[in-house]
Amino acid sequence: MPESRSSRPGNGARPDDDAHDGFSRRTFFKVAAAGGALAAANPLALASCGPSGGGTNVSHAFPHSELEGLTIGELQVGLQSGRWSSHDLTQAYLDRIQAIDSSGPTLKSVIEINPDALDIADGLDRERKNGNVRGPLHGIPIMVKDNIDSGDRMMTAAGSYALAGPPAPKDAFMLARLRQAGAVLLGKTNLSEWANFRGYQSSSGWSGRGGQCHNPYVLDRTPCGSSSGSGAAVAASLCAAAVGTETDGSVVCPSSVNSVVGIKPTLGVVSRSGIVPIAHSQDTAGPMARTVTDAAIMLTAMAGLDPNDPAAASARGHIQTDYSSFLDKGALQGARLGLVRHRLMGYSPETDKLAEAAVSALKDAGATVIDDLALPHYGEYGRDEGTVLDFEFKHDLNAYLATRPNAPIHSLADAIQFNKDHAEEELRWFGQEIFIRAEATDGLQDPKYREALERSKRLSGPEGIDALMNQHRLDALIAPTKCPPWVIDLVDGDHSFGGAAGPAAVAGYPHITVPMGYTFGLPVGFSFFGHAWSEPTLLKLAYAFEQATLKRQEPIYQVTVPMT
């Protein structure tokens, strides 16, 4: 979930789809090395249909290129008209995964295919035939990150061999809501192992189970982490949309560098029950999609009050029944936006150039931009955030593992020992210093933890984001989301610099990123963030910006950035 703290490549093979039946600790390395057969059957021919509302459609020699950039709404029109069935769509995405993710560019964005995906699609097709359509996600294939529990035949392992084995006993609350909405769970996406919270010198997008994920725009560049697979899979149209998770940057960074829309909601809007945690004071899941509309549709299905999530109490009365109802092309007219130039710009001339063009577009659409702002106390709570994450990780992980009695490990201490015992597979590229640091903490009653939590929340939220917005009567704060994607480096780790994720992440406030352009073919996103529970306002603004600029293009799978 922290955007750049995790991993390195191993063999990267997917476990067999049926490997969970009698799956043992003794055999899981053998199974993983063998790779997995996709749950594919006969090729199908979708009717030729290009995107009517997406970005530039680039033709590739990959199957079903007509899916590239199609929105959930466009897919739904095809389902309603009978042009294709959910079975057809599911098979088409499986074909693309085989051609793009498992071979060809070999993105390694998908860590495991759901062996029941086609059967689920068939059931939803029968429902549609009988006149029962659950909503806009009915029959739409999606994926979720490998740290989200699914009560089926797939693993939930956070990318680590230490958790590889028996599946979770039930769906995460949020995933259950997506299934109830009619989504087809196509598979699990790769991630930075343990959500980028294991060791120093990590390479974002690497996990022991999945290997190194790649950026579909330029293959030797990072997909960022920790929701790397979700970002890359959505960008490459391997699914209609996906779910990521974030503690600090792990939805918005991979969304930015993979040129998709990502929403990190206010803490409590989306349940965390059944998700491998880092820290309950910052963790949340969020949708990742190719358009703001699709992300809003996903958020509507995901959001809901979970009695088993303590954060739900504060969310009561703030969760909306339909986030897509707030989308308004004219929302920038009269809007007041604050450009946080100090510390959130100036780290990359190319990023700044794109951001200046984005600001001009906002002004042209009628927004008033208050320029040259600085967030109060920015940079003063980084150490406190680290303390909070260390303490909460040990507490929260041990509590989560208690819900997985059949898991191979039962505590953070077990995970540390497992990695030592399987160092070649897990510790080849980087260590587990963060694990060891967290294990040394001694509980959430420690005054050091409690003081760090209070101070970081206060300085980032009420005395940071809220204070600046109230002072200038702003609807939202804006800034470039992140630097362009850097070269993957398995030896020295990430070379990340700059970004806007931290303040909203620490405060637990919402943050939306939208594609704003490309530099040397490398994607960069633009951020809107603000007060707690301001998702409706941010969605309005993000949608209006998207429609005014329409910057997103389909990936072209360059091997590297041309030097001439």
Side-chain angles (χ1 to χ4, degrees):
M1 293 181 196
E3 68 187 40
S4 55
R5 265 190 174 173
S6 172
S7 341
R8 308 274 190 187
N11 57 36
R14 294 183 185 84
D16 289 348
D17 291 331
D18 61 354
H20 311 298
D21 298 332
F23 197 96
S24 70
R25 290 169 64 83
R26 187 175 62 242
T27 61
F28 71 81
F29 289 124
K30 180 179 178 182
V31 171
L38 294 171
N42 298 321
L44 63 122
L46 288 177
S48 177
C49 177
S52 63
T56 303
N57 192 34
V58 181
S59 177
H60 304 295
F62 299 135
H64 309 296
S65 60
E66 68 275 9
L67 287 176
E68 293 178 2
L70 283 186
T71 67
I72 290 172
E74 289 165 337
L75 293 172
Q76 200 60 244
V77 167
L79 289 166
Q80 292 164 357
S81 69
R83 175 172 283 179
W84 49 63
S85 65
S86 181
H87 183 109
D88 293 339
L89 286 181
T90 301
Q91 184 63 65
Y93 282 122
L94 290 172
D95 292 345
R96 285 182 63 81
I97 291 168
Q98 179 62 55
I100 298 172
D101 205 71
S102 303
S103 56
T106 317
L107 293 182
K108 294 189 177 180
S109 67
V110 181
I111 206 166
E112 188 168 0
I113 288 295
N114 185 357
D116 302 314
L118 289 169
D119 289 340
I120 294 169
D122 289 342
L124 290 162
D125 283 335
R126 287 191 293 270
E127 286 188 24
R128 184 183 295 275
K129 187 176 180 181
N130 292 331
N132 178 28
V133 177
R134 304 186 191 188
L137 283 176
H138 188 107
I140 301 295
I142 67 164
M143 287 195 268
V144 302
K145 192 174 175 180
D146 183 43
N147 61 349
I148 297 171
D149 285 356
S150 59
D152 50 23
R153 292 194 282 165
M154 289 188 290
M155 300 182 200
T156 302
S160 173
Y161 285 123
L163 267 179
K170 64 178 182 179
D171 284 347
F173 182 92
M174 171 271 301
L175 177 55
R177 289 185 59 83
L178 284 166
R179 291 202 206 249
Q180 290 163 7
V184 177
L185 181 55
L186 189 61
K188 298 275 184 89
T189 55
N190 198 4
L191 72 163
S192 306
E193 185 174 297
W194 291 106
N196 247 354
F197 203 76
R198 198 196 80 187
Y200 306 145
Q201 288 186 278
S202 63
S203 172
S204 287
W206 181 89
S207 72
R209 285 189 68 208
Q212 177 65 55
C213 181
H214 297 268
N215 191 307
Y217 286 87
V218 181
L219 296 171
D220 68 353
R221 296 282 168 153
T222 185
C224 201
S226 64
S227 304
S228 47
S230 295
V234 170
S237 295
L238 306 184
C239 56
V243 178
T245 64
E246 173 164 329
T247 303
D248 189 337
S250 289
V251 165
V252 297
C253 181
S255 295
S256 175
V257 306
N258 287 286
S259 200
V260 299
V261 174
I263 303 175
K264 186 205 82 74
T266 306
L267 204 68
V269 167
V270 175
S271 166
R272 289 85 57 79
S273 297
I275 301 177
V276 182
I278 289 181
H280 61 265
S281 65
Q282 291 183 207
D283 288 353
T284 184
M288 302 168 73
R290 289 182 290 275
T291 67
V292 174
T293 301
D294 286 358
I297 290 170
M298 287 285 288
L299 182 60
T300 297
M302 295 164 62
L305 294 175
D306 176 8
N308 294 315
D309 186 343
S314 60
R316 191 173 301 278
H318 294 291
I319 296 177
Q320 306 298 321
T321 57
D322 182 6
Y323 285 96
S324 64
S325 68
F326 297 101
L327 305 183
D328 177 5
K329 272 188 173 183
L332 289 170
Q333 187 67 45
R336 288 179 59 84
L337 306 176
L339 178 62
V340 184
R341 190 176 291 273
H342 291 261
R343 304 284 294 273
L344 299 192
M345 291 182 66
Y347 52 79
S348 163
E350 294 298 329
T351 298
D352 285 354
K353 183 178 178 180
L354 292 172
E356 298 293 359
V359 170
S360 293
L362 292 168
K363 292 177 179 178
D364 290 344
T368 297
V369 177
I370 312 304
D371 203 342
D372 207 26
L373 298 184
L375 267 168
H377 306 292
Y378 184 78
E380 296 179 22
Y381 42 82
R383 186 182 299 273
D384 287 329
E385 181 190 13
T387 297
V388 169
L389 300 192
D390 286 348
F391 274 84
E392 291 189 1
F393 179 63
K394 178 181 178 180
H395 174 275
D396 293 357
L397 180 62
N398 289 347
Y400 166 80
L401 290 172
T403 71
R404 300 274 306 272
N406 295 326
I409 61 171
H410 303 288
S411 67
L412 175 56
D414 287 350
I416 292 170
Q417 188 59 51
F418 180 95
N419 291 336
K420 290 179 181 177
D421 294 341
H422 302 89
E424 179 59 27
E425 294 82 6
E426 287 289 352
L427 302 180
R428 178 184 178 192
W429 298 103
F430 69 102
Q432 55 180 340
E433 299 91 348
I434 298 171
F435 268 20
I436 293 169
R437 196 177 68 204
E439 177 62 23
T441 62
D442 56 3
L444 302 188
Q445 298 306 312
D446 190 314
K448 179 181 178 183
Y449 160 74
R450 298 175 73 85
E451 291 166 8
L453 177 63
E454 185 280 331
R455 188 164 49 241
S456 62
K457 290 292 184 186
R458 172 170 47 83
L459 294 181
S460 60
E463 297 182 16
I465 292 172
D466 294 332
L468 184 61
M469 291 184 66
N470 292 339
Q471 178 186 351
H472 295 281
R473 297 176 288 110
L474 301 173
D475 296 300
L477 296 171
I478 56 174
T481 307
K482 189 68 180 173
C483 62
W486 54 95
V487 175
I488 294 168
D489 186 341
L490 301 174
V491 176
D492 293 324
D494 285 337
H495 306 296
S496 172
F497 55 92
V506 177
Y509 290 1
H511 183 168
I512 301 178
T513 180
V514 180
M516 75 166 174
Y518 305 82
T519 177
F520 301 103
L522 302 170
V524 183
F526 194 72
S527 286
F528 299 81
F529 57 103
H531 297 301
W533 322 115
S534 63
E535 283 86 353
T537 297
L538 298 184
L539 280 164
K540 286 181 184 179
L541 299 170
Y543 177 74
F545 171 75
E546 173 194 57
Q547 295 302 303
T549 56
L550 293 175
K551 289 294 185 179
R552 185 179 184 274
Q553 301 173 10
E554 296 303 314
I556 58 175
Y557 308 94
Q558 294 186 98
V559 173
T560 190
V561 174
M563 293 294 112
T564 57

